[in-house]
Structure formats: structure tokens, C-alpha cells
Amino acid sequence: MLKVALIGAGKMGISHLSILGGYANADIVGVCDTSKMVTDFLTKHGRFNCFSDYNKMIAETKPDAVVVAVPTKFHYSIIKDLLEKNIHVFAEKPFCLTYEQSEELVKLASVKKLVNQVGYHNKFIGTFKEVKRIAQSGALGDIYHFIGESYGPVVVKKKSDTWRSDPAEGGGCLMDYASHVIDLLSDILSPVQSSKGTLLKSIYSGQVEDAVYSLLELQSGQSGVLSVNWSDDTYRKMSTSITLVGTKGKLISDANELKLFLKDDNSLNGYSKGWNVKYITDLQEGVDFYLRGEEYSAQLDYFIKAAEGKVPNTINSFASAANTDKAISIIKKSSI
Amino acid sequence: MERILFGDNQFFAVNHISDDKSRAQSIKFKDDSAIIKVLDDARAAGINTFMCTTHDRIGAICDIIRADPEKYKDFKIFPCMPYAHKYANAVTELGIAGTLKQYVPGNFFGSLFKGGMAYITKDFESIMELMIDAEMKMFKDIHTPVIFLQNVITDLLLGLRATDMLVAFHHYIRKKHNADAGFITMNMPKLLKALQEGGVENPIICTSINKVGFRMSGGKEVYEETLKNQKVRVIAMQVLGGGAIHPGEAIEYVCSLPNIESILFGASSKPNIVSTANYIHQFDSKK
């Protein structure tokens, strides 16, 4: 059984740990976090082998794979260290603070032939997988416009500073919320080539942007709009959607519901002329252990299987996450 | 527990298949009076148990119920705690320790966090007990015979192997609140096994049960097997698979299974309440 360890037991790390704990095919050999309260809980109630120093954990527990869920600013140095120690790595998103760091880790993982994955979980959602399949089938004709959106209630009033409000630590809506949408668009269509203009708006935060509005051009030549706002409390939780407008049809999809309009019959199996609606219940495969969405379990299942050599390490590789980091820097530079 | 329980997702814009419908519900139930009207419609259809999350707005609904004891004398609420988004948003902003500090009542944490480096003598069960009591405050003087732990917490603890915390919840609800504990989960067979190993017999478990196997982790067959062979009091939820299955077909499936004590559903309009309740009566009478 694959020996897995966790570095960083915050909100995402605890969630990954629970999913791994409920998963039958991984042996969790160690958990590292700097919060004594968290490690005390995990030791006492979960009987996990906890550490406050990750180097000590790696030396003692010798994991085959590690899940890294520390704040982004620590990703580069920790992941580099793990790769050099020949350990497969699953990292939380966003990948690194700069594109240069991302590129270096992509190369290192490739040279070392290690499995590498980043937690852009939307790609494991059935509806968005179907969006990709439809986009690539040609059924929409020439896709001449896209809208990538995400809204939610993260920062809805002025408040004290946390790492989320520090641009140097990967805080801000661009690296947090918007990175999901950029990553999804890169995967469904193609990576970002340039931005024709960006508005980074601070609504409640002092130092970072709460909203990102950008006109994007992709490497494929397709263009469209990115519209993301994490200060929108008309949403109960993060809601991401993709709209694709083509010469033969139009597609609007969020995580739950996919609506496809086709101008012609017979352009795509299972869909007919006019509006078609499919739900997540039609499109999502089940998981063995569910915590907060099938996609969170599915991405870890995929990582474990990749580390065991059972599936190719192609979805959410470091290379694809590096494209997203590059897009983030392009968007930042184009901000006016 | 009554055969039919009325849920609250529709009141708080929780819709598992459509964000558009979520928004429409959010608009429809902007005022508390709209919620009360639908609850009264449910009561008129013979449904006297309201299973709801400890959302801030439920406090106002409880005030209305308390103000009219005669009208609501048979009315029961099954609280489901905690309202997870409140804490999830707080953890994002304040971290785990900061969230506990904000939400655990009294001075329990105040002194412990002084200086930041102070050693914390943790008694996580006591923290949980304080949080349960805080969440239960809004239900004062309302009949709450079953109190649930929400699935995100149940399943988080299950995955973290902290079954002892689940067992502690079970005992504390009985001891302090004179009610049965219930657990909402998306992993029913695994949870039941863990609770049984922790000495909890015949627990109340609320879980997704539907014909298409949606959110039935590990597969529909394992659930059916568990229902057939184990001692457990199940409340079936998401019986319509988020709306993906025809109601008649959906209810027929759930009514055919053993060990399903209650069926939980939510609806925004009187015709939908009556129609779903009628399907349940119809298929129950065929047994």
C-alpha cells in the first residue's frame, strides 16, 4: 500500500487527510503541522503520527507520496525538497508564487520521473469534464467567445489582515478564486496567451484585489472574458461557470447544470437541436468516500493511482498548473 | 420519528442541481413569512417535523413558533448542526484556532491563547459540548427529540478516524439535551460500522438514498446490503436524486427498502408537498 504523508493540516489539508483516511488504498504514515492544537487533536482522536518539522517526518516515515497543503509561499521550497528526495507530490493550488519557480519544479519532477499533481479540483467535476468533451468535439463550431466566471462570499466586509490580504503570500482573488477559472479555461480551450486589459478591483481588502475582470486571448486564438469576484454575497458558496459561444451552438455550464444549445441535429451524440440540459447527477461518477464533493475524493484517488502507476499522470500536472501561474502573471502585468 | 420529515434546503438556496433554482428560491424565501407559510402547508399535509440546519434565520422561525404555542403544539424540530458555511468561512479567514476562539462561548479559550505560545490543555470533547449548547440556544422551549450532526462534520471526523468524537456527540445529546443523536452522512455503511465499533447500537442515520445511486458512496449495492442486514434507523434524504428522477419512481424505490424509518424531503410549494407526501402514502400502503 502506498505510504502517504501530509504537510499542512489547515482547512484544505484536514479535508485531504480525512478523505485519505476514508480511502482504503493509502497508508497515512505522518501528518505535519505547526499548530499544536491541530496535531494534538489528530494524535489523540485520529491516532495519526504527527510532527511539527516536516524534515523529521520524511526521515522517520519515508513516505512514497506527500500532499502539500501549506500556504502558497512555502510551496516552492518544500516541493523542491520533496522531489529531490524522490517523493511524489500532490500540491494545493495555486502552484507557486512565480512562474519561474513553477517551471523549475516542472523540470525537476520530469527529470526525477515523479508523479506531480496540483489541486485544481474542478477538472474532476462531471459537468466540466463534459464541457471539455463538447468543446473538443467540434459540435459548437468555431468557438469565438468565452466567459469564465466565479463568484462567492469570501471577503464581504472590511476586516483585519490575514495572509489572504498579503499579495506577497498569494493572497487576493486572482491567485485564489480566479486561478480556478483560468485553469479550467486553459484545459477546456487552451492556455492564456495575452490579456487585452485587466481591472483588478479592491472592494473591501486594503492591499489585494477582490475582483478580477480581464479580456483574454488564448494560444488557440480564441478570446473572451474572465469575470471573478470573491466579495459577492449573493452566492452561498463559490460558484464557477463557463460559457462558450460558437458558430454552431452555445454552452453554459456550472458545476451542477450544463445547458447546451445546438443549431443542428446530429452534431453530437446524446444531444439534439435546440436546448439540452444535463445535471451533475447524470454526469458524475460516484466515489468510495465522500466529504465535500466527489471531485475532492476523485482527485486524490487519481493521484494515488498515478503514483501506483495505474493511471497516466496527465490531469492537473505541475506543467498545467505552471500554465495557470504564467496566466496569472500575464493578467497581473496587464492590469491598468 | 414520523414517516415523513420536512427539510429546509429550499429555504436557504441549497439546490444540488441548479444555481438558477437556488437564486429563485433565495428570492422567494427572502421573508420569514414565506418560510412559515410553506411550513404551515406542510403541517396541513400532515407533516409535523421540520428538520433544519442551525442557520441564523432559523432563530427567527423559532421565535414565531414559540409565540404561538397552541398552533404549533404538535410541531417538532430536528436541528442539524453546525451550519457549516458559517464556520468554513471563519476558518478561511481566522484559521482553525481563531475560529474556535470566536465561536466557543465564554472564556474557555481566552486565557489559553494569551501570548500565542501558551500550551493548550485540550479537552476537545468539552469544546464540542460548549459548541452544541451554543447552537441549541435558538431552540429553547421547542420540542427537539432528535439532534443531528451535519454530514460535513460527521464525515470529516469519520475520515479522521475520530469516531470517539461521534460517540461523544451521541452520549452528550442524550445526557444534556434529553434527545436522540442523529448523524447525517454521505458514507452510511462506513459510518454505521464505526458507530457500532464505538458501542452505539441502532443509531439514527440520515443519508442519501435514491434510485440512481447519487451520493451513495461505495455504491448503491453496499447501501442496500447494509439496510437489509444491519440494525439501523435510517432517514432517507436526496430521494429524488436532486430532481433527476421522476418523483413516483423515486419514492417507489425508497419505500421498497427495509429499515428506512423516515423519508426527508423539501419543497417550495403546496402542490409539490402534497404530491410527494401522497406518493409516500401510496407506496407505503402497498407494502
Side-chain angles (χ1 to χ4, degrees):
Chain A
M1 203 182 277
L2 198 80
K3 288 162 70 180
V4 187
L6 171 75
I7 304 176
K11 186 179 168 189
M12 286 310 297
I14 287 273
S15 156
H16 291 318
L17 182 64
S18 175
I19 291 167
L20 288 168
Y23 183 87
N25 299 319
D27 178 16
I28 305 161
V29 294
V31 177
C32 179
D33 196 86
T34 51
S35 162
K36 184 141 175 52
M37 189 180 71
V38 169
T39 53
D40 277 348
F41 178 87
L42 294 172
T43 306
K44 185 179 169 194
H45 295 279
R47 299 174 304 282
F48 289 102
N49 188 13
C50 292
F51 298 82
S52 57
D53 174 352
Y54 86 86
N55 281 306
K56 194 172 168 224
M57 175 177 81
I58 302 297
E60 281 184 27
T61 65
K62 301 186 173 51
D64 304 304
V66 168
V67 173
V68 178
V70 293
T72 313
K73 67 171 174 175
F74 300 117
H75 278 190
Y76 169 73
S77 63
I78 292 178
I79 294 168
K80 188 176 172 188
D81 191 20
L82 294 171
L83 293 174
E84 279 165 352
K85 288 171 174 151
N86 292 307
I87 295 168
H88 304 300
V89 176
F90 176 100
E92 243 327 300
K93 51 66 58 177
F95 187 26
C96 294
L97 287 181
T98 70
Y99 171 63
E100 291 71 26
Q101 292 177 341
S102 309
E103 278 290 90
E104 192 188 328
L105 296 182
V106 170
K107 280 187 196 127
L108 184 57
S110 161
V111 169
K112 292 276 196 175
K113 295 190 168 49
L114 290 163
V115 170
N116 52 91
Q117 193 178 323
V118 178
Y120 284 110
H121 51 79
N122 282 315
K123 278 183 240 168
F124 289 88
I125 295 177
T127 39
F128 291 131
K129 278 163 116 172
E130 182 69 354
V131 170
K132 183 175 177 179
R133 193 183 74 88
I134 293 169
Q136 299 188 341
S137 73
L140 293 169
D142 174 25
I143 299 170
Y144 59 84
H145 183 64
F146 63 79
I147 309 168
E149 298 169 278
S150 195
Y151 307 107
V154 177
V155 181
V156 291
K157 56 176 189 269
K158 279 203 192 305
K159 52 182 109 178
S160 57
D161 288 350
T162 68
W163 69 271
R164 274 186 191 265
S165 48
D166 187 349
E169 295 189 19
C173 176
L174 176 57
M175 290 204 82
D176 191 296
Y177 259 44
S179 63
H180 278 293
V181 191
I182 297 163
D183 191 79
L184 206 49
L185 285 169
S186 301
D187 187 54
I188 292 167
L189 298 172
S190 102
V192 172
Q193 174 73 34
S194 66
S195 169
K196 303 292 181 190
T198 297
L199 296 165
L200 297 180
K201 290 200 172 180
S202 293
I203 303 166
Y204 301 108
S205 300
Q207 296 187 55
V208 295
E209 72 289 343
D210 295 313
V212 180
Y213 304 107
S214 185
L215 283 172
L216 299 177
E217 192 168 77
L218 308 182
Q219 288 175 10
S220 57
Q222 292 156 318
S223 59
V225 177
L226 176 72
S227 172
V228 181
N229 179 352
W230 75 4
S231 297
D232 185 343
D233 39 11
T234 65
Y235 290 81
R236 192 173 59 92
K237 57 179 187 175
M238 184 182 191
S239 171
T240 298
S241 68
I242 300 287
T243 300
L244 303 176
V245 190
T247 50
K248 287 186 182 171
K250 177 171 167 177
L251 187 161
I252 306 167
S253 180
D254 55 38
N256 301 320
E257 186 181 33
L258 183 154
K259 291 171 277 195
L260 173 65
F261 180 89
L262 291 175
K263 287 191 184 180
D264 305 312
D265 258 324
N266 305 324
S267 50
L268 188 64
N269 233 343
Y271 295 89
S272 54
K273 187 177 169 179
W275 281 108
N276 300 262
V277 181
K278 288 206 177 181
Y279 296 110
I280 184 69
T281 40
D282 307 319
L283 298 165
Q284 187 70 49
E285 284 173 42
V287 294
D288 281 345
F289 183 78
Y290 179 104
L291 182 58
R292 25 185 320 225
E294 284 86 359
E295 63 274 24
Y296 294 97
S297 304
Q299 66 175 358
L300 286 174
D301 179 56
Y302 185 80
F303 173 66
I304 303 278
K305 287 196 170 121
E308 290 171 339
K310 291 176 182 165
V311 295
N313 176 210
T314 48
I315 306 174
N316 282 341
S317 64
F318 282 4
S320 78
N323 275 329
T324 301
D325 286 348
K326 189 172 186 181
I328 288 170
S329 86
I330 290 170
I331 290 168
K332 225 183 252 170
K333 276 183 199 143
S334 71
S335 156
I336 41 179
Chain B
M1 295 189 295
E2 290 177 73
R3 177 63 171 165
I4 306 177
L5 312 176
F6 197 65
D8 72 338
N9 274 352
Q10 68 283 354
F11 298 146
F12 304 119
V14 181
N15 188 296
H16 297 290
I17 57 167
S18 168
D19 283 2
D20 289 346
K21 283 183 191 144
S22 288
R23 180 171 298 129
Q25 287 167 343
S26 192
I27 293 167
K28 179 168 182 178
F29 294 109
K30 180 182 169 228
D31 294 325
D32 296 335
S33 59
I35 295 179
I36 288 290
K37 186 182 174 300
V38 173
L39 287 179
D40 287 348
D41 288 341
R43 289 192 313 114
I47 307 168
N48 270 309
T49 306
F50 178 40
M51 186 157 157
C52 63
T53 189
T54 50
H55 191 287
D56 290 343
R57 285 190 65 194
I58 291 294
I61 300 300
C62 289
D63 289 341
I64 296 170
I65 290 166
R66 262 190 298 268
D68 202 341
E70 186 52 34
K71 182 177 170 189
Y72 293 102
K73 69 177 186 317
D74 298 322
F75 196 66
K76 292 184 274 295
I77 291 186
F78 288 1
C80 308
M81 62 179 63
Y83 176 60
H85 286 288
K86 178 171 81 180
Y87 295 102
N89 290 338
V91 170
T92 299
E93 190 196 342
L94 306 166
I96 291 169
T99 299
L100 286 175
K101 195 175 158 188
Q102 174 153 329
Y103 285 105
V104 174
N107 281 326
F108 194 79
F109 266 80
S111 56
L112 301 174
F113 278 91
K114 263 181 201 157
M117 294 296 287
Y119 183 75
I120 300 158
T121 41
K122 314 122 309 282
D123 180 351
F124 296 103
E125 285 183 22
S126 309
I127 296 171
M128 182 175 76
E129 290 172 0
L130 286 166
M131 293 179 90
I132 292 170
D133 294 350
E135 295 267 325
M136 282 305 292
K137 269 189 186 146
M138 70 172 88
F139 302 104
K140 192 173 181 294
D141 298 330
I142 288 174
H143 190 33
T144 56
V146 189
I147 299 167
F148 287 84
L149 194 60
Q150 288 282 15
N151 55 292
V152 70
I153 301 298
T154 305
D155 292 333
L156 180 75
L157 292 170
L158 181 65
L160 294 177
R161 312 170 191 161
T163 314
D164 56 344
M165 293 296 284
L166 299 172
V167 174
F169 177 82
H170 174 85
H171 291 309
Y172 185 70
I173 291 297
R174 189 160 283 177
K175 190 181 82 184
K176 174 77 189 281
H177 294 279
N178 195 24
D180 282 324
F183 298 91
I184 308 177
T185 182
M186 298 292 180
N187 306 285
M188 187 269 277
K190 271 196 180 86
L191 173 70
L192 178 61
K193 190 162 175 279
L195 289 173
Q196 285 170 341
E197 283 166 7
V200 178
E201 283 189 22
N202 203 16
I204 297 172
I205 296 182
C206 178
T207 192
S208 289
I209 308 260
N210 53 67
K211 201 178 178 181
V212 292
F214 184 58
R215 303 261 151 95
M216 296 169 77
S217 309
K220 203 167 95 170
E221 295 70 27
V222 192
Y223 275 61
E224 289 176 357
E225 199 62 24
T226 306
L227 287 170
K228 216 167 99 185
N229 299 319
Q230 301 292 325
K231 227 178 146 199
V232 55
R233 301 171 66 190
V234 167
I235 298 170
M237 66 172 183
Q238 294 192 324
V239 293
L240 304 176
I245 320 163
H246 178 272
E249 203 182 320
I251 303 290
E252 183 176 19
Y253 170 74
V254 177
C255 288
S256 73
L257 297 170
N259 259 331
I260 306 246
E261 190 167 321
S262 304
I263 296 169
L264 169 70
F265 77 91
S268 308
S269 71
K270 193 171 182 175
N272 283 348
I273 296 170
V274 171
S275 143
T276 307
N278 283 345
Y279 277 123
I280 298 173
H281 298 317
Q282 182 194 329
F283 290 110
D284 275 350
S285 68
K286 284 187 184 165
K287 273 191 195 169

